[in-house]
Amino acid sequence: MNLRVFDSLSELAAGAADALLDQLGGKERQVVSLSGGSTPRSMYELLGEGARRENLERCKVIWVLGDERWVPPGDPQSNATMIEQTLFRNGLPSGHQFIRFDTTVGRPAEAAEKFEADWLHAGIEQVDLAILGVGDDGHTASLFPDSGVMEVDRGIATHVFVPRLDQWRLTLTLPALRSSSRKFVIAAGASKKKVIVAACRGEALPIVAVTGEGGESWWLIDKEAYPDDPSL
Ligand code: 6PG
């Protein structure tokens, strides 16, 4: 497992932001999928301002949302809203695109179909860099274990009801995420230790299914999340 350990969440955020910029540097149009959740928030804030923002403006990026909760735009749970308030709080850089799930359409299935149409219209073939979070149960994006979504083995986006959250979710599919050329898993806090150990052991978890195949994966974590087991 390619692992970088940072002393604190703020150093992790800075390291992850700079690693993303290194990936984008100088290339033609890049496709980056963005994780929701709380961990990447500080990384997105750093990318949304100052020299890092200026660096982003020299790139050409199609940003795609990795997953979304079935909530209206502006809802505190909305991943797209969180990203607009952090990464794009000074607006979307000129020439960039942000493809999100439209949760104002009638049903979750329609939102997934519309996302896939937008993705195809943008001419996207695959994600160049996937920014991923990981849940304590090993989910990533909204690929939750035991939800049936891991069996969706075709297409770009799908919808899934997550009983433990009592919530519909929209997500990139396993094939869409797994085929990313490069993956950064961002994890922080002691609550992530167990899932990191499980991932090191190659347990059958969604995060392992996504990172275990396809392009190179890196785990960027803080010291709190570093497993106590030195053998790992
Ligand atoms: C979401 C995310 C999800 C998240 C993990 C970790 O919509 O919630 O995409 O996959 O990355 O649940 O969340 P935290 O970063 O808040 O621990």
Side-chain angles (χ1 to χ4, degrees):
M1 172 187 272
N2 297 315
L3 184 64
R4 288 182 64 187
V5 186
F6 295 87
D7 283 341
S8 65
L9 177 58
S10 58
E11 290 189 22
L12 167 59
D18 292 340
L20 179 144
L21 290 170
D22 288 349
Q23 281 305 309
L24 296 179
K27 297 190 182 89
E28 281 303 302
R29 187 194 76 162
Q30 293 278 285
V31 179
V32 177
S33 70
L34 294 168
S35 168
S38 59
T39 305
R41 192 182 180 96
S42 43
M43 167 192 178
Y44 296 160
E45 283 167 349
L46 291 175
L47 286 165
E49 65 177 7
R52 290 187 177 100
R53 161 77 193 208
E54 287 164 19
N55 196 330
L56 267 191
E57 287 169 352
R58 290 191 285 272
C59 308
K60 280 277 172 287
V61 182
I62 299 182
W63 307 91
V64 298
L65 197 50
D67 72 316
E68 186 57 283
R69 296 80 180 274
W70 184 244
V71 294
D75 186 289
Q77 288 193 68
S78 163
N79 286 332
T81 301
M82 181 272 286
I83 289 165
E84 282 168 345
Q85 292 172 345
T86 54
L87 181 58
F88 303 137
R89 76 172 166 288
N90 290 306
L92 190 63
S94 161
H96 290 211
Q97 243 183 294
F98 179 31
I99 299 178
R100 74 197 72 187
F101 291 91
D102 179 355
T103 58
T104 63
V105 297
R107 292 176 300 110
E110 286 173 60
E113 287 157 15
K114 184 170 182 296
F115 180 96
E116 187 151 337
D118 291 346
W119 166 294
L120 295 173
H121 181 69
I124 297 173
E125 286 171 14
Q126 71 177 68
V127 172
D128 297 301
L129 174 62
I131 305 297
L132 300 167
V134 59
D136 302 352
D137 61 356
H139 79 264
T140 189
S142 285
L143 300 176
F144 283 85
D146 312 323
S147 65
V149 74
M150 293 298 285
E151 282 66 53
V152 178
D153 60 1
R154 71 194 63 206
I156 301 299
T158 190
H159 61 296
V160 54
F161 183 75
V162 185
R164 57 171 270 206
L165 301 173
D166 189 26
Q167 187 176 57
W168 281 99
R169 290 284 189 103
L170 299 153
T171 186
L172 290 181
T173 59
L174 173 59
L177 277 174
R178 182 164 53 194
S179 64
S180 304
S181 307
R182 195 172 295 269
K183 299 133 187 174
F184 289 171
V185 184
I186 319 284
S191 70
K192 301 295 167 84
K193 275 187 189 181
K194 268 179 66 181
V195 72
I196 291 171
V197 170
C200 283
R201 291 178 175 154
E203 291 183 17
L205 299 170
I207 190 65
V208 174
V210 168
T211 57
E213 290 183 36
E216 184 181 70
S217 295
W218 280 86
W219 288 66
L220 287 73
I221 71 174
D222 71 353
K223 230 169 21 179
E224 293 284 304
Y226 186 70
D228 302 319
D229 179 350
S231 68
L232 290 172

